[in-house]
Amino acid sequence: MNTRRSFVLVFLLGFAFVSGCGDKLGEVSGTVTLGGQPLGAGVVTVFPERGSPVAGTVNGGTYMVPGVPYGPCRVTVTPLQAEPEVTSGPGGPRKPGQEDPAPRVKAGPAPKKSAGPPIPEKFKSVDTSGLATKVDQEKVTFAISLD
């Protein structure tokens, strides 16, 4: 291989290394409190400056959102949506709202309602939450207070 080709190859490999072959990803985790108490259940969604939003669930006041691209991020907290009720009867399973003249029997236990006060509306929108963090390492701890 001649010197010119070697130089070009080394330059391209160096450029690929410096620019990165892919975006670095980190994990955002921490606690969520509402009224000074741990939030029982919810969804934390992280909106990175570049890339798609990534979400994780709140369970007992703690959350973890893996796979967040490095850089500034905005954050929202929304209620955990209960699964739609599916009923069954002589005609078999039906979707919510579908009529059946036979008495309805629930297919399983009723979904649990979240305990405690509802999440304030402002924290449900990326434009109004005011929650922001920066992912600049593999694991970032971000405590969220919904007060």
Side-chain angles (χ1 to χ4, degrees):
M1 194 178 337
N2 67 29
T3 307
R4 187 171 188 198
R5 275 190 189 159
S6 296
F7 176 76
V8 170
L9 181 60
V10 169
F11 175 78
L12 291 175
L13 288 173
F15 180 76
F17 178 77
V18 171
S19 65
C21 293
D23 288 338
K24 288 185 173 185
L25 301 177
E27 173 186 289
V28 180
S29 62
T31 59
V32 182
T33 58
L34 176 60
Q37 299 297 315
L39 183 68
V43 177
V44 172
T45 305
V46 179
F47 294 82
E49 192 172 76
R50 294 178 315 172
S52 299
V54 188
T57 57
V58 177
N59 187 5
T62 62
Y63 74 95
M64 181 183 70
V65 182
V68 180
Y70 274 38
C73 303
R74 295 187 295 167
V75 179
T76 62
V77 181
T78 55
L80 186 61
Q81 299 295 319
E83 292 185 25
E85 180 182 320
V86 177
T87 58
S88 62
R94 294 181 310 283
K95 295 180 182 176
Q98 190 176 17
E99 292 296 323
D100 185 358
R104 293 182 182 199
V105 179
K106 289 188 178 180
K112 294 180 181 177
K113 295 187 179 190
S114 67
I119 296 170
E121 287 298 316
K122 78 177 230 171
F123 296 109
K124 297 176 185 179
S125 169
V126 72
D127 296 322
T128 60
S129 77
L131 302 171
T133 189
K134 183 175 184 180
V135 178
D136 56 2
Q137 55 191 4
E138 286 183 23
K139 293 186 184 264
V140 174
T141 301
F142 180 58
I144 300 171
S145 175
L146 303 177
D147 295 322

